[in-house]
Amino acid sequence: MTFSQVVMEVMRQLEGAYALIFKSPHYPNELIACKRGSTLILGVNEVSDQNSAKSFQNVKSLTTNGSPREFFFSSDLCAIVEHTKNYLAIEDNEIIHIKDGSVSILKFDKEKEKPASVQRALSVLEMEVEQIKKGSYDHFMQKEIHEQPHSLTTTMRGRLKDSGVVLGGLKEHLKTLRRSRRVIFIGCGTSYNAALAARPFVEELTGIPVTMEVASDLLDRQGPIYREETAVFVSQSGETADTLLALEYALEKGALCVGVTNTVGSTLSRKTHCGIHINAGCEIGVASTKAYTSQIVVMAMIALAIGSDQLSTQPRRESIITGLSSLPSTTNWINNLPCQ
């Protein structure tokens, strides 16, 4: 049996969520990874010389071109950025087979004896190494609290204008959003609370009823979701397990699914019909700070975009736009806080 056949026999017996990497002395120079439900990222880097210096070149092909390569597996993009910017987000039931520097991807199906070959291209990570360093701060949470004025600026940059809000990620679906019978905010933990804080803006500016759902509770109840409704999924990482399961449920029901996430290339951003990246920068601290404030701002901008066709709310929209524009400068007092 080949190494991939051995792993497939293991996968046939497994239930639930997992992310696994296999290495065996019986199959030297080979490595296999697979996942279902959990997050797994593959980073690929070409080694520029014998000292393993990182080239950070854009590795286009997954097959080897004769140059030695390094491979990195992680559950989070932040962990690989200091090693490489070229990554592949592994999908459920995919088998990543690395042999002699080349990567092949197979799609596993329990019902079929042989997996199908898949062609995938690497993505380029839009993140700087400095974002994952603490600098002069004692810990990442402290650093991210002080970064809030900057993160709010990047969240609104190019989107918030005097004439209104421009959200390219929603442009093609604005008409559907405006015709929605109900907007359902779905999230967990801090993301759920960010949506709760933004709910008054959405109801006031759009005139659409808004309900809140904790993702796990929605699944337990099998709560009703209809085709004429919009489900907005909020997640900093875009990989929250309960939120992704709720997304699968909403997709089955035929609702328009909108994602609000901080992570480009995350499962949430790939599986929703449309959405907005909050662009708050990498958040490593467990207690969410800058992502929380940026999520609220993004959802306020979504409300402004949906309600932009209503003349009755124009004065209110203009006052909110003015307030959002001045928000980074009014939060600059955070930078005067002591670092201790």
Side-chain angles (χ1 to χ4, degrees):
M1 296 181 72
T2 65
F3 198 10
S4 58
Q5 288 174 326
V6 174
V7 173
M8 279 189 287
E9 289 305 312
V10 173
M11 292 176 69
R12 292 184 196 279
Q13 308 300 320
L14 294 178
E15 297 179 0
Y18 57 80
L20 302 170
I21 300 173
F22 297 89
K23 194 86 172 71
S24 170
H26 300 290
Y27 301 94
N29 300 321
E30 293 187 59
L31 184 147
I32 290 182
C34 59
K35 59 149 283 195
R36 184 189 300 146
S38 298
T39 308
L40 192 59
I41 304 293
L42 167 66
V44 182
N45 184 57
E46 285 190 357
V47 181
S48 59
D49 55 36
Q50 294 181 350
N51 295 323
S52 297
K54 312 301 186 296
S55 62
F56 291 111
Q57 294 176 354
N58 183 10
V59 184
K60 295 291 186 183
S61 174
L62 286 170
T63 57
T64 183
N65 58 3
S67 302
R69 285 183 168 180
E70 295 175 321
F71 299 96
F72 305 88
F73 287 96
S74 173
S75 61
D76 195 307
L77 289 170
C78 292
I80 68 169
V81 65
E82 60 181 316
H83 304 290
T84 180
K85 291 192 174 185
N86 306 291
Y87 75 95
L88 180 74
I90 303 172
E91 301 285 354
D92 282 356
N93 295 317
E94 281 187 347
I95 299 172
I96 305 297
H97 187 190
I98 300 175
K99 184 177 181 180
D100 298 325
S102 294
V103 180
S104 57
I105 307 173
L106 303 173
K107 191 69 175 181
F108 173 75
D109 189 338
K110 282 189 176 183
E111 306 301 324
K112 297 180 180 179
E113 291 188 8
K114 292 185 178 180
S117 179
V118 178
Q119 297 295 323
R120 299 271 305 281
L122 290 168
S123 301
V124 180
L125 183 59
E126 301 288 342
M127 187 184 298
E128 300 300 327
V129 179
E130 286 71 21
Q131 292 184 17
I132 62 168
K133 293 182 178 180
K134 290 187 294 185
S136 60
Y137 298 100
D138 294 333
H139 46 74
F140 280 106
M141 181 180 174
Q142 186 182 74
K143 173 178 179 282
E144 288 153 11
I145 288 172
H146 284 258
E147 285 178 342
Q148 285 180 98
H150 175 70
S151 64
L152 289 172
T153 300
T154 57
T155 296
M156 293 183 282
R157 182 178 292 131
R159 296 168 169 174
L160 198 66
K161 301 180 179 180
D162 293 337
S163 57
V165 175
V166 178
L167 298 177
L170 299 182
K171 186 178 180 181
E172 295 181 2
H173 298 272
L174 273 177
K175 289 184 179 179
T176 306
L177 285 164
R178 289 166 180 160
R179 291 197 302 263
S180 296
R181 288 173 48 190
R182 177 176 63 143
V183 173
I184 312 164
F185 279 121
I186 302 170
C188 299
T190 304
S191 295
Y192 172 87
N193 283 285
L196 189 63
R199 176 169 63 173
F201 292 113
V202 180
E203 288 186 328
E204 178 186 359
L205 297 176
T206 68
I208 303 172
V210 177
T211 59
M212 306 294 305
E213 293 283 359
V214 176
S216 57
D217 183 54
L218 174 68
L219 292 168
D220 289 342
R221 296 180 1 253
Q222 294 289 292
I225 296 179
Y226 301 103
R227 296 178 62 88
E228 302 83 6
E229 298 177 333
T230 295
V232 181
F233 295 86
V234 189
S235 170
Q236 191 280 132
S237 66
E239 303 291 350
T240 309
D242 286 337
T243 303
L244 293 179
L245 289 172
L247 171 59
E248 296 290 345
Y249 175 71
L251 288 170
E252 290 174 5
K253 298 296 183 181
L256 175 66
C257 295
V258 180
V260 176
T261 180
N262 192 33
T263 309
V264 177
S266 62
T267 304
L268 185 69
S269 64
R270 296 196 308 273
K271 290 191 174 183
T272 46
H273 296 114
C274 58
I276 303 296
H277 290 109
I278 67 174
N279 299 334
C282 183
E283 186 173 70
I284 296 173
V286 176
S288 182
T289 52
K290 63 179 183 178
Y292 173 76
T293 51
S294 290
Q295 282 174 340
I296 295 174
V297 168
V298 161
M299 286 181 278
M301 289 194 294
I302 290 174
L304 289 167
I306 296 173
S308 61
D309 63 333
Q310 300 181 20
L311 291 175
S312 60
T313 60
Q314 185 173 348
R316 177 62 171 152
R317 289 200 312 273
E318 291 174 352
S319 67
I320 291 175
I321 289 171
T322 302
L324 289 175
S325 300
S326 62
L327 195 56
S329 60
T330 58
T331 54
N332 272 329
W333 61 269
I334 292 173
N335 292 326
N336 298 321
L337 291 173
C339 289
Q340 290 77 22

